[in-house]
């Protein structure tokens, strides 16, 4: 790819994400202004989502306001703002709004515990307009005197602030992967660079990433040139450190830190191993080496006394020399992987190519942005290996998300049949994401639930309570096949609600209920260590993208990354199977239930 093309690609993604950011902040401003502006807030929030989900840069659609009108969520007024932005780089209404609302506090509005009314009160009563003074005020106990700020609310706010702080310091895996791969491509083009690879938590696919680590090899005579090349890439905002073998920079975008380390070819494997981590995994490896009279560091596996190099060119070589099976980066967390590698019993991890279908998604029938037919056509083109996709629109109590009433689901069944007939393939399956209500009952009648091919049951309310009982009750329902986003967390924004996981996993195993890995970048729910606990209990896992737009189907990779970090092989993931097996899983649950009922009736006779 030549430089001109790269430049063009960068400006392309910029328009959409910049506008999405502005619209999101405008929505926050309107929410802050109060109830009268709530429809504006909703409209701008919708426009922000649309911007994030566009396949092409907005300028491609923006030939005039009329053509923008065709995009979902973009009416005439917002269309004009887009045109204004493309022409002038600014939106006057936004510039005006910024002056009326304390901008520094606005970011907090995305955090659990900081609604617009709360922020307004704090701003007006405490006369604070920046985050630091607000945080200080909370810590000094000043807000306890305000009306409506009880101990539970304040506790909740403190937890929210902690999350917010963490989210400032660490990126989501999805963002870091994009940034990391962009920079890796650029590093590979620096004159003199031979090999380069991502290392650190990014290579291990941890759910959040502190900084991006890159390992590079080059001829020794070129090292100076490579370091100089790295610190002068156009994406670099600031050089943090620069030495002979390493450099650290901050990127312009999001001020992401990138650490680059240079090594010789024959050290590449041991350096990659060292800088991939985790630190805890490395410590265990070093102890192993020591017991054998060796030492292990970034320069190789060496004899302690003679300094003879035993291994170092590849990671495989180092693991082999230590008497270990190769350990995939996703498992390097000191969670028992070294012991298993010694016994040569590591699982053969699931790969993206094993996936045969997507288990949760939403269409325009509820809160998705695409018609069922468009989704089906897109999947046929982009994911030809998929044998099925399950449409799982929301149930009635999800009012904001446009949940469907029973009669509407029955209409949707007809539409799904029509689409399948048109594409000549039983690709689209009939499902729902049914709400688990406060008492653990479901939001749709039993007779309808029985008609679905697949039922995911999820919690969308009551995030501060222990939700174990609700989830257990849902598992006991014969028509619930899977628990969706089981912990309810949003990384950096909302903590998981309390759940007794051991109880839930036992119930899921006993009732034959699957548990979801939701691959939405902010969810990654169930999280990796709990996935491992779940499969140890014999639970079957599904991976789903929960897509609300076409661009989100590619998140399947993130779900697979979580499954790998949870030690899953193909056998533990239901949607690596053909639809026949999914149907068997479903029938199994019904049989289990029927069996239990018949035993109960025998006992009562
Ligand atoms: P992050 O950036 O916080 O998401 O996590 P990592 O794992 O990428 O950590 P980072 O960037 O500080 O260092 C990259 C790798 O380098 C780390 O996974 C292991 C290795 N490493 C760094 N510092 C040490 C250390 O003091 N001892 C050992 N054994 N390894 C280290
Ligand atoms: Ca790192
Ligand atoms: Ca680092
Ligand atoms: Zn949901």
């Amino acid at each position: 790819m030549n430089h001109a093309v790269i430049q063009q690609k960068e400006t392309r993604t910029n328009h959409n994400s910049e506008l999405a950011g502005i619209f999101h902040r405008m929505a926050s401003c309107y929410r802050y202004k109060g109830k009268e502006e709530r429809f504006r807030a909703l409209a701008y929030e919708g426009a922000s989502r649309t911007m994030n989900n566009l396949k092409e840069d907005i300028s491609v659609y923006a030939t005039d306001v009329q053509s923008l009108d065709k995009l979902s969520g973009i009416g005439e007024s917002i269309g004009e703002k887009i045109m204004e932005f493309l022409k002038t780089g600014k939106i006057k209404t936004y510039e005006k709004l910024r002056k009326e609302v304390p901008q520094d506090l606005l970011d907090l509005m995305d955090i659990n515990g900081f609604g617009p009314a709360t922020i307004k009160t704090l701003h007006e009563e405490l006369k604070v307009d920046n985050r630091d003074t607000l945080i200080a005020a909370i810590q000094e106990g000043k807000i306890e005197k305000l009306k409506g700020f009880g101990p539970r609310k304040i506790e909740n706010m403190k937890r929210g602030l902690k999350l917010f702080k963490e989210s400032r310091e660490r990126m989501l895996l999805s963002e870091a992967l994009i940034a990391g791969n962009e920079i890796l491509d650029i590093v590979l083009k620096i004159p003199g660079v031979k090999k380069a690879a991502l290392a650190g938590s990014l290579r291990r696919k941890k759910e959040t990433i502190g900084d991006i680590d890159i390992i590079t090899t080059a001829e020794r005579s070129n090292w100076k040139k490579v370091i100089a090349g790295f610190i002068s890439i156009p994406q670099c905002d600031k050089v943090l450190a620069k030495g002979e073998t390493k450099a650290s920079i901050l990127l312009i975008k999001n001020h992401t830190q990138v650490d680059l380390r240079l090594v010789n070819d024959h050290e590449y494997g041991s350096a990659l191993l060292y800088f991939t981590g985790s630190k805890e995994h490395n410590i265990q490896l070093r102890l192993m080496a020591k017991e054998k009279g060796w030492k292990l560091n970034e320069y190789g596996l060496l004899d302690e006394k003679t300094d003879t190099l035993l291994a170092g060119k590849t990671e495989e070589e180092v693991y082999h020399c230590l008497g270990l099976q190769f350990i995939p980066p996703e498992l390097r967390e000191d969670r028992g992987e070294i012991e298993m590698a010694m016994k040569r019993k590591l699982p053969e991890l699931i790969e993206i190519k094993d996936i045969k279908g997507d288990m949760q998604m939403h269409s325009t029938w509820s809160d998705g942005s695409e018609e069922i037919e468009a989704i089906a056509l897109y999947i046929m083109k982009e994911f030809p290996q998929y044998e099925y996709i399950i449409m799982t629109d929301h149930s009635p109590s999800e009012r904001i998300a446009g949940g469907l009433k029973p009669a509407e689901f029955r209409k949707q069944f007809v539409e799904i049949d029509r689409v399948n007939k048109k594409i000549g393939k039983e690709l689209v399956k009939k499902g729902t994401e049914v709400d688990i209500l406060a008492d653990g009952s479901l939001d749709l009648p039993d007779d309808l639930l029985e008609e679905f091919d697949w039922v995911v049951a999820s919690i969308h309310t009551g995030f501060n309570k222990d939700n174990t009982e609700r989830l257990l009750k849902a598992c006991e329902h014969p028509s619930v096949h899977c628990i969706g986003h089981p912990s309810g967390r949003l990384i950096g924004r909302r903590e998981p609600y309390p759940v007794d996981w051991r109880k839930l996993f036992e119930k899921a195993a006993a009732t034959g209920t699957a548990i979801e890995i939701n691959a939405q970048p902010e969810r990654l729910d169930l999280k990796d260590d709990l996935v491992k606990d779940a499969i140890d209990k014999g639970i079957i896992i599904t991976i789903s993208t929960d897509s609300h737009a076409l661009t989100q189907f590619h998140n399947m990779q993130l779900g697979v990354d979580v499954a790998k970090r949870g030690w899953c092989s193909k056998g533990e993931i239901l949607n690596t199977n053909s639809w026949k097996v999914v149907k068997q899983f479903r029938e199994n649950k019904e049989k289990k239930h029927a069996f239990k009922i018949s035993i109960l009736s025998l006992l009562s006779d």
Side-chain angles (χ1 to χ4, degrees), residues 21-53:
I22 292 176
F23 288 158
H24 176 66
R25 287 193 295 278
M26 288 177 78
S28 298
C29 291
Y30 286 124
R31 278 171 63 208
Y32 182 90
K33 292 186 125 204
K35 277 218 165 64
E36 317 79 73
E37 298 285 12
R38 69 182 184 278
F39 291 111
R40 274 218 180 98
L42 277 174
Y44 278 99
E45 208 50 81
S48 171
R49 262 199 310 274
T50 301
M51 285 302 133
N52 269 327
N53 291 333

Side-chain angles (χ1 to χ4, degrees), residues 384-548:
Q385 73 278 24
Y386 280 7
E387 295 172 13
Y388 48 89
I389 54 173
I390 311 179
M391 206 52 65
T392 52
D393 279 312
H394 288 287
S395 62
S397 70
E398 282 299 292
R399 266 193 223 102
I400 300 172
L404 305 187
K405 297 196 182 76
E408 292 168 314
F409 274 113
R410 292 206 165 85
K411 266 197 220 158
Q412 192 189 42
F413 291 171
V414 177
E415 168 64 2
I416 290 176
D417 288 337
R418 184 194 71 78
V419 170
N420 284 336
K421 196 163 173 217
K422 184 163 176 193
I423 62 177
K425 192 175 160 183
E426 291 292 309
L427 177 71
V428 188
K429 305 297 179 189
K430 296 161 189 161
T432 180
E433 182 189 17
V434 65
D435 259 37
I436 303 173
L437 302 174
D439 64 355
S441 65
L442 301 178
D443 190 27
L444 287 170
D446 287 353
D447 62 332
L448 176 63
L449 286 170
E450 275 173 28
E451 285 180 47
F452 288 105
D453 293 320
W454 189 254
V455 174
V456 182
S458 308
I459 286 180
H460 293 117
T461 52
F463 295 111
N464 296 323
K465 292 194 298 262
D466 186 307
N467 279 315
T468 311
E469 289 306 317
R470 284 168 91 186
L471 293 171
L472 296 186
K473 203 164 162 201
C475 285
E476 274 167 4
H477 195 289
S479 297
V480 168
H481 308 116
C482 182
I483 299 294
H485 45 73
S487 83
R489 71 159 176 184
L490 293 174
I491 300 172
R493 290 209 284 137
R494 189 169 70 211
E495 287 186 310
Y497 41 65
V499 173
D500 183 333
W501 294 106
R502 192 182 55 84
K503 270 193 190 163
L504 175 64
F505 294 158
E506 274 165 10
K507 180 64 78 182
T511 53
T513 311
I515 291 202
E516 177 187 68
I517 294 176
N518 188 301
Q520 286 276 318
E522 275 194 308
R523 288 192 184 271
L524 304 184
D525 183 10
L526 202 60
K527 78 197 287 279
D528 50 20
D529 51 346
L530 287 174
V531 169
K532 184 165 188 280
D533 293 347
I535 62 169
D536 285 346
K537 289 253 163 28
I539 288 165
I540 293 297
I541 304 287
T542 65
I543 308 180
S544 66
T545 62
D546 191 4
S547 290
H548 288 67

Side-chain angles (χ1 to χ4, degrees), residues 200-202 209-213:
S201 52
L202 191 50
I209 305 295
D211 65 12
I212 296 170
D213 301 283

